[in-house]
Amino acid sequence: MARRAAVRGFTLIELIVAVAILGILATGLLPLAQLAAQRGKEQELRIALRELRGAIDAYKKAADEGRIEKKVDQSGYPSELAVLVEGVRDARSTEDKAVYFLRRIPRDPFFDDVTIPAEKTWALRSYDSPPDDPRAGDDVFDVFSQSRKVGLNGVPYRQW
């Protein structure tokens, strides 16, 4: 009976080796998990930028077609991102109908402060600002991430 009890279980060395192997595997998986998380955020950024830029372009097209009233000195782009969600009066409609371009404004996935509203997480470029020095102005011609990080493709997120 005593001999049987000694044969059961693991020795201390076997346990240490098993824990060491698990530790090595865990340290190898951690960078892969971080890479997968970054890829997920990059995919969210691509989708959000495509959605916002598509809505801005649709607004401009509606303004050029005369569906949205604009003054002669205006570019035809929205004055702020919130207009895309709130909607604007359809100038062609005899009734008081509105034209909407987005259901909601997506957040910049690389903006960490969740207390800030989604429309404030994006950096804005006006129609009058140059592409190499984008800045906000009277309208919203383009949006880009405020993140200073660089993507997996080597391009800073601000330039996507």
Side-chain angles (χ1 to χ4, degrees):
M1 194 73 144
R3 190 175 194 202
R4 252 185 171 177
V7 176
R8 291 164 110 193
F10 296 104
T11 66
L12 182 60
I13 293 177
E14 290 172 331
L15 287 174
I16 291 173
V17 169
V19 169
I21 290 172
L22 287 174
I24 291 170
L25 289 174
T27 57
L29 290 177
L30 186 62
L32 291 176
Q34 290 172 341
L35 183 65
Q38 186 174 357
R39 279 190 182 143
K41 279 187 168 184
E42 285 186 0
Q43 183 63 22
E44 286 179 45
L45 179 62
R46 278 189 198 94
I47 291 169
L49 286 172
R50 189 176 305 123
E51 187 177 347
L52 282 169
R53 288 172 175 163
I56 291 168
D57 291 344
Y59 185 99
K60 171 68 170 147
K61 183 178 179 184
D64 289 347
E65 292 171 349
R67 292 187 67 199
I68 298 173
E69 293 179 11
K70 70 173 186 175
K71 296 178 182 168
V72 176
D73 62 338
Q74 290 179 328
S75 65
Y77 288 100
S79 58
E80 56 187 20
L81 288 178
V83 171
L84 301 172
V85 176
E86 295 165 358
V88 290
R89 188 183 157 295
D90 189 347
R92 287 188 179 172
S93 175
T94 56
E95 301 171 16
D96 197 21
K97 290 187 177 180
V99 181
Y100 301 95
F101 300 94
L102 283 175
R103 289 189 179 109
R104 65 173 184 81
I105 296 175
R107 295 186 67 77
D108 180 352
F110 289 99
F111 196 87
D112 295 327
D113 190 356
V114 295
T115 61
I116 304 295
E119 63 266 11
K120 302 291 184 192
T121 62
W122 298 100
L124 306 177
R125 175 181 168 213
S126 72
Y127 184 72
D128 293 333
S129 71
D132 56 342
D133 184 25
R135 55 187 181 275
D138 295 333
D139 56 13
V140 180
F141 174 70
D142 195 13
V143 293
F144 56 95
S145 178
Q146 295 185 42
S147 176
R148 300 283 183 196
K149 297 178 183 175
V150 176
L152 293 173
N153 60 0
V155 179
Y157 293 128
R158 295 177 58 84
Q159 294 177 6
W160 283 30

